[in-house]
Amino acid sequence: MAEPAEQSGQRRVRPAPLIFEPAEATADPEHFFGLEAMADPRELLARATELTLAFRAAADRAVEYQAVAAAQLADPGRFDRLTEAEIAARAEWTEDYARKMIEFGRGLTRANGRDPEE
């Protein structure tokens, strides 16, 4: 599970910009952000590392948004509140993981100065 950068003691790394590829380039399964065309291994390592860091940062951020959404959906004050089992089914998680994500989301919401029960 991802932690907010402030809580883990790390400064959030700015990911490299992800350049969206034209549809015809993505149709070729060997084509991946132009990496296959790079001949210089130093350049290849640098760009592949940038992409790796960008994807990790994006994945961590997406997990945080999942957690906040799960906490909002589980809020007992909502008339359309979902159970942990329903949230787990929608996100393709186990109920135990959904419970942990709901708590994580509530913590993120509190850390951002908003009461998740509002």
PDB file of all heavy atoms in Angstrom, residues 24-64:
ATOM      1  N   GLU A  24      -1.028   4.604 -34.153  1.00  0.00           N
ATOM      2  CA  GLU A  24      -0.318   3.654 -35.013  1.00  0.00           C
ATOM      3  C   GLU A  24       0.955   3.130 -34.353  1.00  0.00           C
ATOM      4  O   GLU A  24       1.353   2.000 -34.576  1.00  0.00           O
ATOM      5  CB  GLU A  24      -0.016   4.240 -36.403  1.00  0.00           C
ATOM      6  CG  GLU A  24       0.796   5.518 -36.427  1.00  0.00           C
ATOM      7  CD  GLU A  24      -0.046   6.785 -36.273  1.00  0.00           C
ATOM      8  OE1 GLU A  24      -1.277   6.710 -36.158  1.00  0.00           O
ATOM      9  OE2 GLU A  24       0.553   7.863 -36.252  1.00  0.00           O
ATOM     10  N   ALA A  25       1.583   3.922 -33.504  1.00  0.00           N
ATOM     11  CA  ALA A  25       2.789   3.469 -32.799  1.00  0.00           C
ATOM     12  C   ALA A  25       2.430   2.456 -31.721  1.00  0.00           C
ATOM     13  O   ALA A  25       3.158   1.491 -31.510  1.00  0.00           O
ATOM     14  CB  ALA A  25       3.530   4.648 -32.191  1.00  0.00           C
ATOM     15  N   THR A  26       1.332   2.662 -31.032  1.00  0.00           N
ATOM     16  CA  THR A  26       0.951   1.735 -29.967  1.00  0.00           C
ATOM     17  C   THR A  26       0.392   0.431 -30.520  1.00  0.00           C
ATOM     18  O   THR A  26       0.305  -0.543 -29.784  1.00  0.00           O
ATOM     19  CB  THR A  26      -0.058   2.386 -28.998  1.00  0.00           C
ATOM     20  OG1 THR A  26      -1.206   2.811 -29.737  1.00  0.00           O
ATOM     21  CG2 THR A  26       0.559   3.554 -28.266  1.00  0.00           C
ATOM     22  N   ALA A  27       0.019   0.415 -31.791  1.00  0.00           N
ATOM     23  CA  ALA A  27      -0.473  -0.823 -32.400  1.00  0.00           C
ATOM     24  C   ALA A  27       0.658  -1.838 -32.548  1.00  0.00           C
ATOM     25  O   ALA A  27       0.418  -3.040 -32.580  1.00  0.00           O
ATOM     26  CB  ALA A  27      -1.113  -0.532 -33.754  1.00  0.00           C
ATOM     27  N   ASP A  28       1.893  -1.351 -32.635  1.00  0.00           N
ATOM     28  CA  ASP A  28       3.062  -2.222 -32.740  1.00  0.00           C
ATOM     29  C   ASP A  28       3.472  -2.648 -31.334  1.00  0.00           C
ATOM     30  O   ASP A  28       3.907  -1.826 -30.541  1.00  0.00           O
ATOM     31  CB  ASP A  28       4.204  -1.470 -33.424  1.00  0.00           C
ATOM     32  CG  ASP A  28       5.476  -2.291 -33.544  1.00  0.00           C
ATOM     33  OD1 ASP A  28       5.458  -3.493 -33.196  1.00  0.00           O
ATOM     34  OD2 ASP A  28       6.489  -1.720 -33.987  1.00  0.00           O
ATOM     35  N   PRO A  29       3.347  -3.938 -30.986  1.00  0.00           N
ATOM     36  CA  PRO A  29       3.651  -4.374 -29.622  1.00  0.00           C
ATOM     37  C   PRO A  29       5.116  -4.175 -29.224  1.00  0.00           C
ATOM     38  O   PRO A  29       5.438  -4.144 -28.051  1.00  0.00           O
ATOM     39  CB  PRO A  29       3.269  -5.855 -29.610  1.00  0.00           C
ATOM     40  CG  PRO A  29       3.203  -6.266 -31.025  1.00  0.00           C
ATOM     41  CD  PRO A  29       2.924  -5.028 -31.833  1.00  0.00           C
ATOM     42  N   GLU A  30       6.013  -4.029 -30.185  1.00  0.00           N
ATOM     43  CA  GLU A  30       7.417  -3.817 -29.874  1.00  0.00           C
ATOM     44  C   GLU A  30       7.728  -2.351 -29.587  1.00  0.00           C
ATOM     45  O   GLU A  30       8.810  -2.024 -29.135  1.00  0.00           O
ATOM     46  CB  GLU A  30       8.295  -4.310 -31.042  1.00  0.00           C
ATOM     47  CG  GLU A  30       8.196  -5.798 -31.278  1.00  0.00           C
ATOM     48  CD  GLU A  30       8.652  -6.616 -30.076  1.00  0.00           C
ATOM     49  OE1 GLU A  30       9.699  -6.298 -29.499  1.00  0.00           O
ATOM     50  OE2 GLU A  30       7.943  -7.565 -29.711  1.00  0.00           O
ATOM     51  N   HIS A  31       6.789  -1.465 -29.862  1.00  0.00           N
ATOM     52  CA  HIS A  31       7.000  -0.026 -29.683  1.00  0.00           C
ATOM     53  C   HIS A  31       6.607   0.380 -28.268  1.00  0.00           C
ATOM     54  O   HIS A  31       5.492   0.139 -27.839  1.00  0.00           O
ATOM     55  CB  HIS A  31       6.167   0.749 -30.706  1.00  0.00           C
ATOM     56  CG  HIS A  31       6.454   2.209 -30.703  1.00  0.00           C
ATOM     57  ND1 HIS A  31       7.533   2.733 -31.370  1.00  0.00           N
ATOM     58  CD2 HIS A  31       5.836   3.243 -30.115  1.00  0.00           C
ATOM     59  CE1 HIS A  31       7.554   4.039 -31.188  1.00  0.00           C
ATOM     60  NE2 HIS A  31       6.535   4.379 -30.433  1.00  0.00           N
ATOM     61  N   PHE A  32       7.551   0.988 -27.549  1.00  0.00           N
ATOM     62  CA  PHE A  32       7.264   1.427 -26.184  1.00  0.00           C
ATOM     63  C   PHE A  32       8.002   2.725 -25.917  1.00  0.00           C
ATOM     64  O   PHE A  32       9.189   2.732 -25.585  1.00  0.00           O
ATOM     65  CB  PHE A  32       7.665   0.351 -25.171  1.00  0.00           C
ATOM     66  CG  PHE A  32       7.234   0.672 -23.765  1.00  0.00           C
ATOM     67  CD1 PHE A  32       5.912   0.586 -23.396  1.00  0.00           C
ATOM     68  CD2 PHE A  32       8.168   1.081 -22.831  1.00  0.00           C
ATOM     69  CE1 PHE A  32       5.509   0.892 -22.107  1.00  0.00           C
ATOM     70  CE2 PHE A  32       7.779   1.387 -21.532  1.00  0.00           C
ATOM     71  CZ  PHE A  32       6.445   1.293 -21.166  1.00  0.00           C
ATOM     72  N   PHE A  33       7.287   3.841 -26.085  1.00  0.00           N
ATOM     73  CA  PHE A  33       7.823   5.172 -25.824  1.00  0.00           C
ATOM     74  C   PHE A  33       9.148   5.420 -26.541  1.00  0.00           C
ATOM     75  O   PHE A  33       9.989   6.163 -26.056  1.00  0.00           O
ATOM     76  CB  PHE A  33       7.972   5.421 -24.322  1.00  0.00           C
ATOM     77  CG  PHE A  33       6.655   5.553 -23.617  1.00  0.00           C
ATOM     78  CD1 PHE A  33       6.046   4.454 -23.046  1.00  0.00           C
ATOM     79  CD2 PHE A  33       6.031   6.783 -23.527  1.00  0.00           C
ATOM     80  CE1 PHE A  33       4.834   4.575 -22.392  1.00  0.00           C
ATOM     81  CE2 PHE A  33       4.817   6.921 -22.882  1.00  0.00           C
ATOM     82  CZ  PHE A  33       4.213   5.814 -22.320  1.00  0.00           C
ATOM     83  N   GLY A  34       9.355   4.785 -27.665  1.00  0.00           N
ATOM     84  CA  GLY A  34      10.562   5.006 -28.457  1.00  0.00           C
ATOM     85  C   GLY A  34      11.815   4.354 -27.902  1.00  0.00           C
ATOM     86  O   GLY A  34      12.904   4.547 -28.443  1.00  0.00           O
ATOM     87  N   LEU A  35      11.691   3.574 -26.846  1.00  0.00           N
ATOM     88  CA  LEU A  35      12.879   2.955 -26.239  1.00  0.00           C
ATOM     89  C   LEU A  35      13.561   1.974 -27.185  1.00  0.00           C
ATOM     90  O   LEU A  35      14.790   1.864 -27.191  1.00  0.00           O
ATOM     91  CB  LEU A  35      12.519   2.255 -24.933  1.00  0.00           C
ATOM     92  CG  LEU A  35      12.015   3.143 -23.795  1.00  0.00           C
ATOM     93  CD1 LEU A  35      11.671   2.286 -22.586  1.00  0.00           C
ATOM     94  CD2 LEU A  35      13.017   4.211 -23.438  1.00  0.00           C
ATOM     95  N   GLU A  36      12.775   1.270 -27.970  1.00  0.00           N
ATOM     96  CA  GLU A  36      13.344   0.258 -28.859  1.00  0.00           C
ATOM     97  C   GLU A  36      14.220   0.874 -29.944  1.00  0.00           C
ATOM     98  O   GLU A  36      15.072   0.201 -30.518  1.00  0.00           O
ATOM     99  CB  GLU A  36      12.225  -0.591 -29.487  1.00  0.00           C
ATOM    100  CG  GLU A  36      11.394   0.131 -30.536  1.00  0.00           C
ATOM    101  CD  GLU A  36      10.482   1.213 -29.997  1.00  0.00           C
ATOM    102  OE1 GLU A  36      10.143   1.200 -28.801  1.00  0.00           O
ATOM    103  OE2 GLU A  36      10.121   2.101 -30.773  1.00  0.00           O
ATOM    104  N   ALA A  37      14.060   2.165 -30.212  1.00  0.00           N
ATOM    105  CA  ALA A  37      14.833   2.824 -31.263  1.00  0.00           C
ATOM    106  C   ALA A  37      16.120   3.463 -30.740  1.00  0.00           C
ATOM    107  O   ALA A  37      16.911   3.968 -31.523  1.00  0.00           O
ATOM    108  CB  ALA A  37      13.967   3.891 -31.935  1.00  0.00           C
ATOM    109  N   MET A  38      16.329   3.450 -29.434  1.00  0.00           N
ATOM    110  CA  MET A  38      17.519   4.081 -28.859  1.00  0.00           C
ATOM    111  C   MET A  38      18.715   3.141 -28.976  1.00  0.00           C
ATOM    112  O   MET A  38      18.680   2.015 -28.498  1.00  0.00           O
ATOM    113  CB  MET A  38      17.277   4.453 -27.398  1.00  0.00           C
ATOM    114  CG  MET A  38      16.271   5.534 -27.231  1.00  0.00           C
ATOM    115  SD  MET A  38      16.122   5.982 -25.486  1.00  0.00           S
ATOM    116  CE  MET A  38      15.005   7.365 -25.636  1.00  0.00           C
ATOM    117  N   ALA A  39      19.785   3.647 -29.612  1.00  0.00           N
ATOM    118  CA  ALA A  39      20.992   2.839 -29.812  1.00  0.00           C
ATOM    119  C   ALA A  39      21.997   3.029 -28.680  1.00  0.00           C
ATOM    120  O   ALA A  39      22.740   2.099 -28.346  1.00  0.00           O
ATOM    121  CB  ALA A  39      21.637   3.192 -31.145  1.00  0.00           C
ATOM    122  N   ASP A  40      22.006   4.206 -28.090  1.00  0.00           N
ATOM    123  CA  ASP A  40      22.965   4.510 -27.017  1.00  0.00           C
ATOM    124  C   ASP A  40      22.455   3.935 -25.698  1.00  0.00           C
ATOM    125  O   ASP A  40      21.414   4.349 -25.197  1.00  0.00           O
ATOM    126  CB  ASP A  40      23.143   6.021 -26.899  1.00  0.00           C
ATOM    127  CG  ASP A  40      24.128   6.432 -25.810  1.00  0.00           C
ATOM    128  OD1 ASP A  40      24.748   5.535 -25.186  1.00  0.00           O
ATOM    129  OD2 ASP A  40      24.275   7.641 -25.581  1.00  0.00           O
ATOM    130  N   PRO A  41      23.177   2.964 -25.105  1.00  0.00           N
ATOM    131  CA  PRO A  41      22.698   2.355 -23.869  1.00  0.00           C
ATOM    132  C   PRO A  41      22.596   3.349 -22.704  1.00  0.00           C
ATOM    133  O   PRO A  41      21.752   3.196 -21.825  1.00  0.00           O
ATOM    134  CB  PRO A  41      23.708   1.260 -23.562  1.00  0.00           C
ATOM    135  CG  PRO A  41      24.820   1.422 -24.509  1.00  0.00           C
ATOM    136  CD  PRO A  41      24.411   2.364 -25.578  1.00  0.00           C
ATOM    137  N   ARG A  42      23.425   4.389 -22.700  1.00  0.00           N
ATOM    138  CA  ARG A  42      23.330   5.402 -21.642  1.00  0.00           C
ATOM    139  C   ARG A  42      22.006   6.163 -21.748  1.00  0.00           C
ATOM    140  O   ARG A  42      21.332   6.398 -20.758  1.00  0.00           O
ATOM    141  CB  ARG A  42      24.497   6.370 -21.721  1.00  0.00           C
ATOM    142  CG  ARG A  42      25.818   5.772 -21.295  1.00  0.00           C
ATOM    143  CD  ARG A  42      26.961   6.782 -21.473  1.00  0.00           C
ATOM    144  NE  ARG A  42      28.233   6.180 -21.177  1.00  0.00           N
ATOM    145  CZ  ARG A  42      28.991   5.541 -22.060  1.00  0.00           C
ATOM    146  NH1 ARG A  42      28.604   5.423 -23.310  1.00  0.00           N
ATOM    147  NH2 ARG A  42      30.142   5.018 -21.690  1.00  0.00           N
ATOM    148  N   GLU A  43      21.665   6.544 -22.969  1.00  0.00           N
ATOM    149  CA  GLU A  43      20.407   7.245 -23.216  1.00  0.00           C
ATOM    150  C   GLU A  43      19.219   6.328 -22.901  1.00  0.00           C
ATOM    151  O   GLU A  43      18.240   6.750 -22.287  1.00  0.00           O
ATOM    152  CB  GLU A  43      20.354   7.710 -24.672  1.00  0.00           C
ATOM    153  CG  GLU A  43      19.105   8.480 -25.025  1.00  0.00           C
ATOM    154  CD  GLU A  43      19.041   8.847 -26.508  1.00  0.00           C
ATOM    155  OE1 GLU A  43      19.989   8.563 -27.264  1.00  0.00           O
ATOM    156  OE2 GLU A  43      18.017   9.411 -26.897  1.00  0.00           O
ATOM    157  N   LEU A  44      19.327   5.067 -23.311  1.00  0.00           N
ATOM    158  CA  LEU A  44      18.280   4.095 -23.052  1.00  0.00           C
ATOM    159  C   LEU A  44      18.068   3.909 -21.551  1.00  0.00           C
ATOM    160  O   LEU A  44      16.931   3.932 -21.063  1.00  0.00           O
ATOM    161  CB  LEU A  44      18.612   2.750 -23.714  1.00  0.00           C
ATOM    162  CG  LEU A  44      17.642   1.606 -23.468  1.00  0.00           C
ATOM    163  CD1 LEU A  44      16.245   1.933 -23.963  1.00  0.00           C
ATOM    164  CD2 LEU A  44      18.162   0.338 -24.136  1.00  0.00           C
ATOM    165  N   LEU A  45      19.151   3.743 -20.808  1.00  0.00           N
ATOM    166  CA  LEU A  45      19.041   3.579 -19.361  1.00  0.00           C
ATOM    167  C   LEU A  45      18.418   4.818 -18.715  1.00  0.00           C
ATOM    168  O   LEU A  45      17.534   4.700 -17.862  1.00  0.00           O
ATOM    169  CB  LEU A  45      20.410   3.288 -18.737  1.00  0.00           C
ATOM    170  CG  LEU A  45      20.412   3.123 -17.219  1.00  0.00           C
ATOM    171  CD1 LEU A  45      19.535   1.954 -16.788  1.00  0.00           C
ATOM    172  CD2 LEU A  45      21.834   2.944 -16.713  1.00  0.00           C
ATOM    173  N   ALA A  46      18.853   5.987 -19.138  1.00  0.00           N
ATOM    174  CA  ALA A  46      18.323   7.224 -18.558  1.00  0.00           C
ATOM    175  C   ALA A  46      16.823   7.357 -18.817  1.00  0.00           C
ATOM    176  O   ALA A  46      16.042   7.635 -17.896  1.00  0.00           O
ATOM    177  CB  ALA A  46      19.074   8.432 -19.112  1.00  0.00           C
ATOM    178  N   ARG A  47      16.395   7.152 -20.056  1.00  0.00           N
ATOM    179  CA  ARG A  47      14.965   7.315 -20.389  1.00  0.00           C
ATOM    180  C   ARG A  47      14.136   6.193 -19.756  1.00  0.00           C
ATOM    181  O   ARG A  47      13.038   6.442 -19.253  1.00  0.00           O
ATOM    182  CB  ARG A  47      14.763   7.341 -21.905  1.00  0.00           C
ATOM    183  CG  ARG A  47      13.336   7.563 -22.325  1.00  0.00           C
ATOM    184  CD  ARG A  47      12.787   8.891 -21.840  1.00  0.00           C
ATOM    185  NE  ARG A  47      11.403   9.035 -22.288  1.00  0.00           N
ATOM    186  CZ  ARG A  47      10.480   9.686 -21.620  1.00  0.00           C
ATOM    187  NH1 ARG A  47      10.772  10.286 -20.490  1.00  0.00           N
ATOM    188  NH2 ARG A  47       9.254   9.752 -22.074  1.00  0.00           N
ATOM    189  N   ALA A  48      14.638   4.976 -19.766  1.00  0.00           N
ATOM    190  CA  ALA A  48      13.903   3.868 -19.155  1.00  0.00           C
ATOM    191  C   ALA A  48      13.754   4.101 -17.650  1.00  0.00           C
ATOM    192  O   ALA A  48      12.706   3.814 -17.065  1.00  0.00           O
ATOM    193  CB  ALA A  48      14.601   2.540 -19.428  1.00  0.00           C
ATOM    194  N   THR A  49      14.778   4.647 -17.019  1.00  0.00           N
ATOM    195  CA  THR A  49      14.715   4.966 -15.591  1.00  0.00           C
ATOM    196  C   THR A  49      13.687   6.060 -15.339  1.00  0.00           C
ATOM    197  O   THR A  49      12.895   5.976 -14.397  1.00  0.00           O
ATOM    198  CB  THR A  49      16.102   5.380 -15.066  1.00  0.00           C
ATOM    199  OG1 THR A  49      17.006   4.294 -15.287  1.00  0.00           O
ATOM    200  CG2 THR A  49      16.059   5.716 -13.589  1.00  0.00           C
ATOM    201  N   GLU A  50      13.689   7.099 -16.181  1.00  0.00           N
ATOM    202  CA  GLU A  50      12.684   8.165 -16.052  1.00  0.00           C
ATOM    203  C   GLU A  50      11.271   7.599 -16.145  1.00  0.00           C
ATOM    204  O   GLU A  50      10.397   7.948 -15.359  1.00  0.00           O
ATOM    205  CB  GLU A  50      12.864   9.221 -17.148  1.00  0.00           C
ATOM    206  CG  GLU A  50      14.041  10.124 -16.970  1.00  0.00           C
ATOM    207  CD  GLU A  50      14.208  11.082 -18.147  1.00  0.00           C
ATOM    208  OE1 GLU A  50      13.583  10.867 -19.210  1.00  0.00           O
ATOM    209  OE2 GLU A  50      14.974  12.041 -17.994  1.00  0.00           O
ATOM    210  N   LEU A  51      11.063   6.728 -17.117  1.00  0.00           N
ATOM    211  CA  LEU A  51       9.741   6.121 -17.284  1.00  0.00           C
ATOM    212  C   LEU A  51       9.368   5.251 -16.081  1.00  0.00           C
ATOM    213  O   LEU A  51       8.239   5.286 -15.608  1.00  0.00           O
ATOM    214  CB  LEU A  51       9.676   5.296 -18.578  1.00  0.00           C
ATOM    215  CG  LEU A  51       9.614   6.111 -19.863  1.00  0.00           C
ATOM    216  CD1 LEU A  51       9.838   5.209 -21.064  1.00  0.00           C
ATOM    217  CD2 LEU A  51       8.284   6.842 -19.970  1.00  0.00           C
ATOM    218  N   THR A  52      10.327   4.480 -15.584  1.00  0.00           N
ATOM    219  CA  THR A  52      10.072   3.637 -14.411  1.00  0.00           C
ATOM    220  C   THR A  52       9.638   4.482 -13.225  1.00  0.00           C
ATOM    221  O   THR A  52       8.651   4.176 -12.555  1.00  0.00           O
ATOM    222  CB  THR A  52      11.323   2.819 -14.056  1.00  0.00           C
ATOM    223  OG1 THR A  52      11.649   1.981 -15.166  1.00  0.00           O
ATOM    224  CG2 THR A  52      11.104   1.968 -12.817  1.00  0.00           C
ATOM    225  N   LEU A  53      10.367   5.557 -12.963  1.00  0.00           N
ATOM    226  CA  LEU A  53      10.019   6.441 -11.844  1.00  0.00           C
ATOM    227  C   LEU A  53       8.668   7.108 -12.058  1.00  0.00           C
ATOM    228  O   LEU A  53       7.880   7.248 -11.122  1.00  0.00           O
ATOM    229  CB  LEU A  53      11.117   7.486 -11.635  1.00  0.00           C
ATOM    230  CG  LEU A  53      12.468   6.942 -11.178  1.00  0.00           C
ATOM    231  CD1 LEU A  53      13.521   8.046 -11.174  1.00  0.00           C
ATOM    232  CD2 LEU A  53      12.353   6.279  -9.819  1.00  0.00           C
ATOM    233  N   ALA A  54       8.393   7.501 -13.294  1.00  0.00           N
ATOM    234  CA  ALA A  54       7.106   8.131 -13.597  1.00  0.00           C
ATOM    235  C   ALA A  54       5.951   7.159 -13.382  1.00  0.00           C
ATOM    236  O   ALA A  54       4.923   7.518 -12.791  1.00  0.00           O
ATOM    237  CB  ALA A  54       7.102   8.652 -15.037  1.00  0.00           C
ATOM    238  N   PHE A  55       6.119   5.921 -13.838  1.00  0.00           N
ATOM    239  CA  PHE A  55       5.060   4.931 -13.662  1.00  0.00           C
ATOM    240  C   PHE A  55       4.867   4.576 -12.189  1.00  0.00           C
ATOM    241  O   PHE A  55       3.739   4.396 -11.730  1.00  0.00           O
ATOM    242  CB  PHE A  55       5.337   3.672 -14.485  1.00  0.00           C
ATOM    243  CG  PHE A  55       5.118   3.861 -15.968  1.00  0.00           C
ATOM    244  CD1 PHE A  55       6.084   3.462 -16.876  1.00  0.00           C
ATOM    245  CD2 PHE A  55       3.965   4.440 -16.452  1.00  0.00           C
ATOM    246  CE1 PHE A  55       5.902   3.632 -18.236  1.00  0.00           C
ATOM    247  CE2 PHE A  55       3.762   4.610 -17.821  1.00  0.00           C
ATOM    248  CZ  PHE A  55       4.736   4.214 -18.715  1.00  0.00           C
ATOM    249  N   ARG A  56       5.958   4.483 -11.436  1.00  0.00           N
ATOM    250  CA  ARG A  56       5.831   4.214  -9.997  1.00  0.00           C
ATOM    251  C   ARG A  56       5.100   5.342  -9.292  1.00  0.00           C
ATOM    252  O   ARG A  56       4.213   5.100  -8.465  1.00  0.00           O
ATOM    253  CB  ARG A  56       7.207   4.034  -9.359  1.00  0.00           C
ATOM    254  CG  ARG A  56       7.837   2.701  -9.625  1.00  0.00           C
ATOM    255  CD  ARG A  56       9.174   2.600  -8.915  1.00  0.00           C
ATOM    256  NE  ARG A  56       9.897   1.426  -9.370  1.00  0.00           N
ATOM    257  CZ  ARG A  56      11.203   1.302  -9.348  1.00  0.00           C
ATOM    258  NH1 ARG A  56      11.962   2.281  -8.887  1.00  0.00           N
ATOM    259  NH2 ARG A  56      11.773   0.200  -9.783  1.00  0.00           N
ATOM    260  N   ALA A  57       5.481   6.579  -9.610  1.00  0.00           N
ATOM    261  CA  ALA A  57       4.816   7.731  -8.991  1.00  0.00           C
ATOM    262  C   ALA A  57       3.337   7.758  -9.365  1.00  0.00           C
ATOM    263  O   ALA A  57       2.477   8.026  -8.516  1.00  0.00           O
ATOM    264  CB  ALA A  57       5.503   9.027  -9.412  1.00  0.00           C
ATOM    265  N   ALA A  58       3.041   7.463 -10.629  1.00  0.00           N
ATOM    266  CA  ALA A  58       1.645   7.441 -11.074  1.00  0.00           C
ATOM    267  C   ALA A  58       0.865   6.335 -10.365  1.00  0.00           C
ATOM    268  O   ALA A  58      -0.278   6.538  -9.948  1.00  0.00           O
ATOM    269  CB  ALA A  58       1.576   7.261 -12.590  1.00  0.00           C
ATOM    270  N   ALA A  59       1.473   5.167 -10.203  1.00  0.00           N
ATOM    271  CA  ALA A  59       0.811   4.056  -9.519  1.00  0.00           C
ATOM    272  C   ALA A  59       0.561   4.400  -8.050  1.00  0.00           C
ATOM    273  O   ALA A  59      -0.532   4.147  -7.523  1.00  0.00           O
ATOM    274  CB  ALA A  59       1.634   2.779  -9.635  1.00  0.00           C
ATOM    275  N   ASP A  60       1.556   4.992  -7.385  1.00  0.00           N
ATOM    276  CA  ASP A  60       1.371   5.391  -5.981  1.00  0.00           C
ATOM    277  C   ASP A  60       0.251   6.403  -5.847  1.00  0.00           C
ATOM    278  O   ASP A  60      -0.580   6.322  -4.948  1.00  0.00           O
ATOM    279  CB  ASP A  60       2.664   5.982  -5.407  1.00  0.00           C
ATOM    280  CG  ASP A  60       3.749   4.947  -5.186  1.00  0.00           C
ATOM    281  OD1 ASP A  60       3.439   3.735  -5.236  1.00  0.00           O
ATOM    282  OD2 ASP A  60       4.912   5.346  -4.976  1.00  0.00           O
ATOM    283  N   ARG A  61       0.225   7.354  -6.743  1.00  0.00           N
ATOM    284  CA  ARG A  61      -0.810   8.395  -6.708  1.00  0.00           C
ATOM    285  C   ARG A  61      -2.191   7.791  -6.956  1.00  0.00           C
ATOM    286  O   ARG A  61      -3.167   8.151  -6.305  1.00  0.00           O
ATOM    287  CB  ARG A  61      -0.466   9.430  -7.768  1.00  0.00           C
ATOM    288  CG  ARG A  61      -1.124  10.735  -7.637  1.00  0.00           C
ATOM    289  CD  ARG A  61      -0.444  11.578  -6.542  1.00  0.00           C
ATOM    290  NE  ARG A  61      -1.286  12.703  -6.246  1.00  0.00           N
ATOM    291  CZ  ARG A  61      -1.288  13.827  -6.908  1.00  0.00           C
ATOM    292  NH1 ARG A  61      -0.449  13.995  -7.903  1.00  0.00           N
ATOM    293  NH2 ARG A  61      -2.132  14.778  -6.603  1.00  0.00           N
ATOM    294  N   ALA A  62      -2.273   6.867  -7.905  1.00  0.00           N
ATOM    295  CA  ALA A  62      -3.547   6.219  -8.210  1.00  0.00           C
ATOM    296  C   ALA A  62      -4.046   5.423  -7.006  1.00  0.00           C
ATOM    297  O   ALA A  62      -5.250   5.419  -6.710  1.00  0.00           O
ATOM    298  CB  ALA A  62      -3.407   5.306  -9.433  1.00  0.00           C
ATOM    299  N   VAL A  63      -3.149   4.758  -6.283  1.00  0.00           N
ATOM    300  CA  VAL A  63      -3.528   4.005  -5.083  1.00  0.00           C
ATOM    301  C   VAL A  63      -4.100   4.954  -4.031  1.00  0.00           C
ATOM    302  O   VAL A  63      -5.093   4.648  -3.371  1.00  0.00           O
ATOM    303  CB  VAL A  63      -2.330   3.200  -4.532  1.00  0.00           C
ATOM    304  CG1 VAL A  63      -2.614   2.665  -3.138  1.00  0.00           C
ATOM    305  CG2 VAL A  63      -1.995   2.054  -5.471  1.00  0.00           C
ATOM    306  N   GLU A  64      -3.482   6.129  -3.889  1.00  0.00           N
ATOM    307  CA  GLU A  64      -4.002   7.105  -2.928  1.00  0.00           C
ATOM    308  C   GLU A  64      -5.409   7.542  -3.312  1.00  0.00           C
ATOM    309  O   GLU A  64      -6.293   7.652  -2.448  1.00  0.00           O
ATOM    310  CB  GLU A  64      -3.065   8.314  -2.838  1.00  0.00           C
ATOM    311  CG  GLU A  64      -1.753   7.987  -2.161  1.00  0.00           C
ATOM    312  CD  GLU A  64      -0.752   9.130  -2.200  1.00  0.00           C
ATOM    313  OE1 GLU A  64      -1.047  10.197  -2.790  1.00  0.00           O
ATOM    314  OE2 GLU A  64       0.346   8.955  -1.630  1.00  0.00           O
TER     315      GLU A  64
END
